[in-house]
Amino acid sequence: MSEYDKLLKMLNSGKMSRRKFLAKAAALGIGAAISPSLLSSAAQASTPQKGGQFRLAMSDCAITDVFDPTLSNSQCTSLIQRTMSNALVEDAPDGLKPSLATSWESSKDVRTWTFKLREGVEFHNGKPFTSEDVLYSLSLHRKEGTKSQIKAYLKDVKEIKADGKHTVVITLNNGNVEFPTIMAFIYNMVPAGFKDFQHYIGTGAYQLVDNKPGVSTLLKKNPNYWNDKRGHFDEVKILGISDVVARTNALLTGKVDVISDPDLKTIKMLAKSPKVQIIQVPSKKHHLFVMNTTVAPYKNNDLRLALKYAINRKEIVDKVLGGYGTVANDHPISPVMRFYASELPQREFDPDKAQFHLKKAGMVGDTFTLSVANAPFGGAVDTAMLYQQQAAKAGVKIKVDRVPDDGYWKNVWMKKPFCASKWSGRLNEDMMLTTAYTTGAPWNETFWSNKKFDKILKEARTEKDDSKRAEMYTECQRLINEEGGSIIPVFTDFTMAASTKIGHGKVSGSWQMDGFLAGERWWFKK
């Protein structure tokens, strides 16, 4: 155990004050690297103050945002929806916790899952929450013609039925040992038959007052919320501020209490403000460049390997992320995840190997066009330009095609054969791999198809032995690393800048803004 780990253990056990911890850490030369989010809830603790309006500024709100759970996919709408809604299961920072379901259990073959629902829960309109609402809410993602990304997670569901008003039984065609995690991802529980999503009704801590898509959304406290330990604010206001300078100024002038995605180039200067705290959380989020593996020239795996060896990951972490991230290894499973394949050799920048595979592909001297905008992630253009310079040192010619931010996801992503992308990750390995890498998945952005991969992933869902499942997921990561169409150089930390008036416990690394639950979990300090 390192000296830092020993200090952190003493702090979190209450044997050392935060002031003494910071002093000793500084003496070790690591004080600047300490993030408040690394401290336990006890170390962060402050007495929550009830009331006030909590104002959040998000970077990706758009006038096209909708609350229909089968269509919405932006971080902004996810934050708003989770502030108004609940899932059956909560993905808490320390694991799955009961939410609208108080308990769950499976049959021995993990094909049948029974969820006991919380009694006494009401929707914002006063309607009692029952199993009928769960059946309807899940059916929205399974019906014919739905565009929901969640459909892929539920495609193995054979039957969903109610066993009384407060029990739901879900039967799968094949077993899935981690099925409850899927229920933590589906947080849009609405009343049976509900369709007016722009006037959203949920069971959450806050209810909708006013919504101007892309501009602002005002929510007020739900007086009948079932969880009296959450929802400390009177109101929550979400503002869409796409410009990072404008977001930063809004925080510094006190117009908002927290901002997403601060500028990593200036974040160290921002942190010097006595009114600002930087919240940094290692996450599953990754930036990447994707190649369509079904079309020339990217259907040639030697070319794909050449392009993977031509990127310097460490330099991108240092120069683009400012150190707020970690080196990735051309697969989407983050080091913070349970079955991260740490034993896989780390792919390094290697001009000789890049040239070897480029020659083997017969494409020496060819130019490869990379379509990019900053829409997929902040710093995407800078990353592409840096990659172009790195690749040139390896004898690989990349042309950076700067395309408009507006309409990027509609006109470029999954349209251009070589382009930038971003994933916030998923709650577990199966969900991430299923969504983006299985044959025919709607969001399989590389159009990659590997029968061995599909078979192993399916078998892993029914394997109860953790060590065996770890081996299976390691093999899945190896296949993507060696044969996939994703160039994944970095995992990025979730970074937020907040007023020092804000208090919080341990912050989730599953999604931005504390798993999109900052409005419910955070508070103003007394």
Side-chain angles (χ1 to χ4, degrees):
M1 182 180 291
S2 69
E3 288 300 314
Y4 172 72
D5 290 331
K6 291 178 182 178
L7 290 176
L8 191 59
K9 184 177 181 180
M10 292 177 68
L11 172 72
N12 289 336
S13 66
K15 295 180 179 179
M16 179 182 291
S17 69
R18 186 171 186 271
R19 176 178 292 181
K20 191 171 183 180
F21 169 80
L22 292 172
K24 285 186 173 292
L28 292 173
I30 55 176
I34 298 168
S35 165
S37 63
L38 296 178
L39 311 183
S40 72
S41 297
Q44 288 275 334
S46 64
T47 304
Q49 175 177 304
K50 299 290 184 179
Q53 185 185 77
F54 182 42
R55 301 155 302 171
L56 306 94
M58 296 293 288
S59 62
D60 71 334
C61 300
I63 60 173
T64 54
D65 284 349
V66 294
F67 296 148
D68 184 336
T70 67
L71 298 176
S72 56
N73 61 7
S74 73
Q75 293 193 59
C76 185
T77 52
S78 294
L79 171 69
I80 298 169
Q81 288 169 323
R82 290 203 179 196
T83 310
M84 298 189 292
S85 302
N86 300 115
L88 296 185
V89 181
E90 180 178 326
D91 175 47
D94 53 350
L96 298 182
K97 303 291 183 183
S99 186
L100 290 180
T102 57
S103 65
W104 51 90
E105 61 181 8
S106 74
S107 58
K108 288 185 178 181
D109 61 2
V110 291
R111 289 182 58 195
T112 301
W113 287 88
T114 301
F115 293 85
K116 296 292 185 180
L117 305 184
R118 189 178 300 277
E119 298 186 31
V121 176
E122 293 183 354
F123 285 99
H124 297 153
N125 62 358
K127 178 190 179 300
F129 169 73
T130 68
S131 53
E132 177 187 24
D133 305 308
V134 177
L135 268 61
Y136 175 76
S137 298
L138 296 181
S139 73
L140 294 173
H141 305 285
R142 301 179 67 219
K143 64 184 180 181
E144 189 70 28
T146 182
K147 296 181 180 179
S148 172
Q149 59 161 307
I150 294 170
K151 185 177 183 179
Y153 303 138
L154 298 177
K155 68 179 182 180
D156 208 33
V157 171
K158 180 179 180 181
E159 181 184 36
I160 305 175
K161 65 180 183 180
D163 183 7
K165 287 188 175 182
H166 297 100
T167 302
V168 172
V169 180
I170 302 176
T171 303
L172 311 177
N173 290 311
N174 302 283
N176 188 339
V177 71
E178 295 193 18
F179 185 73
T181 306
I182 295 176
M183 295 298 102
F185 187 67
I186 306 173
Y187 48 84
N188 306 99
M189 292 294 145
V190 295
F194 185 74
K195 296 180 180 179
D196 187 12
F197 293 108
Q198 286 309 100
H199 298 91
Y200 198 93
I201 292 175
T203 60
Y206 295 89
Q207 56 195 67
L208 187 64
V209 175
D210 180 65
N211 180 48
K212 298 180 179 64
V215 180
S216 67
T217 301
L218 179 63
L219 311 171
K220 68 177 181 180
K221 185 178 176 67
N222 173 10
N224 298 318
Y225 190 45
W226 57 269
N227 190 345
D228 59 6
K229 296 180 181 179
R230 298 276 190 87
H232 302 287
F233 307 109
D234 287 334
E235 295 181 338
V236 174
K237 190 172 186 178
I238 296 94
L239 300 168
I241 307 179
S242 59
D243 182 75
V244 67
V245 175
R247 277 199 312 281
T248 303
N249 287 337
L251 176 66
L252 291 173
T253 57
K255 294 180 180 178
V256 299
D257 302 300
V258 60
I259 64 172
S260 71
D261 306 305
D263 190 346
L264 297 181
K265 294 178 181 177
T266 60
I267 194 169
K268 291 182 180 178
M269 294 179 60
L270 181 61
K272 293 180 180 179
S273 169
K275 297 181 180 180
V276 173
Q277 58 175 312
I278 303 300
I279 303 170
Q280 175 188 1
V281 192
S283 79
K284 306 163 188 174
K285 178 181 176 183
H286 47 283
H287 297 167
L288 66 162
F289 298 119
V290 294
M291 301 168 278
N292 185 334
T293 60
T294 67
V295 301
Y298 306 103
K299 63 182 180 181
N300 186 308
N301 192 46
D302 277 298
L303 171 61
R304 301 199 294 268
L305 286 169
L307 290 168
K308 291 175 183 179
Y309 280 113
I311 194 166
N312 188 324
R313 294 158 177 77
K314 182 64 166 59
E315 190 175 20
I316 291 172
V317 171
D318 293 340
K319 292 186 176 180
V320 180
L321 300 184
Y324 286 83
T326 56
V327 167
N329 198 22
D330 294 330
H331 65 71
I333 305 305
S334 160
V336 304
M337 298 181 78
R338 185 180 178 191
F339 296 113
Y340 169 70
S342 60
E343 61 268 44
L344 288 183
Q346 174 63 52
R347 180 168 286 128
E348 305 284 355
F349 174 64
D350 193 323
D352 290 338
K353 288 185 178 180
Q355 272 297 302
F356 170 81
H357 287 288
L358 197 63
K359 290 178 181 177
K360 195 173 178 182
M363 299 181 194
V364 174
D366 289 3
T367 299
F368 310 100
T369 300
L370 173 59
S371 300
V372 66
N374 281 327
F377 58 89
V381 174
D382 287 345
T383 303
M385 297 300 293
L386 184 57
Y387 179 25
Q388 181 187 47
Q389 296 170 17
Q390 295 166 349
K393 295 177 182 178
V396 179
K397 297 180 181 179
I398 294 177
K399 175 185 176 183
V400 176
D401 176 26
R402 177 73 185 269
V403 298
D405 288 339
D406 185 44
Y408 183 88
W409 295 109
K410 180 180 180 180
N411 302 321
V412 179
W413 183 65
M414 296 188 74
K415 300 289 194 304
K416 299 291 186 179
F418 190 20
C419 66
S421 185
K422 174 197 73 176
W423 285 85
S424 292
R426 288 296 181 268
L427 299 186
N428 64 24
E429 288 80 1
D430 180 68
M431 294 177 72
M432 183 67 243
L433 298 174
T434 296
T435 305
Y437 294 91
T438 52
T439 300
W443 285 13
N444 181 342
E445 58 193 347
T446 62
F447 302 89
W448 187 60
S449 178
N450 187 296
K451 291 181 180 179
K452 182 180 180 181
F453 172 89
D454 293 342
K455 181 176 182 292
I456 295 172
L457 188 59
K458 182 178 179 179
E459 291 173 348
R461 296 186 188 117
T462 59
E463 180 54 65
K464 296 181 181 180
D465 186 306
D466 283 353
S467 61
K468 292 181 180 178
R469 200 152 80 256
E471 292 176 2
M472 292 175 173
Y473 287 133
T474 293
E475 179 62 9
C476 287
Q477 291 167 68
R478 185 193 66 78
L479 287 169
I480 295 173
N481 170 279
E482 295 181 359
E483 301 178 25
S486 299
I487 302 169
I488 307 178
V490 295
F491 290 103
T492 71
D493 296 343
F494 283 132
T495 54
M496 295 149 276
S499 163
T500 52
K501 296 184 299 181
I502 295 297
H504 59 81
K506 186 176 182 181
V507 178
S508 171
S510 290
W511 308 101
Q512 182 66 275
M513 290 293 179
D514 199 0
F516 297 131
L517 285 174
E520 178 173 333
R521 291 175 177 165
W522 295 10
W523 58 83
F524 285 124
K525 298 177 183 177
K526 284 188 177 180

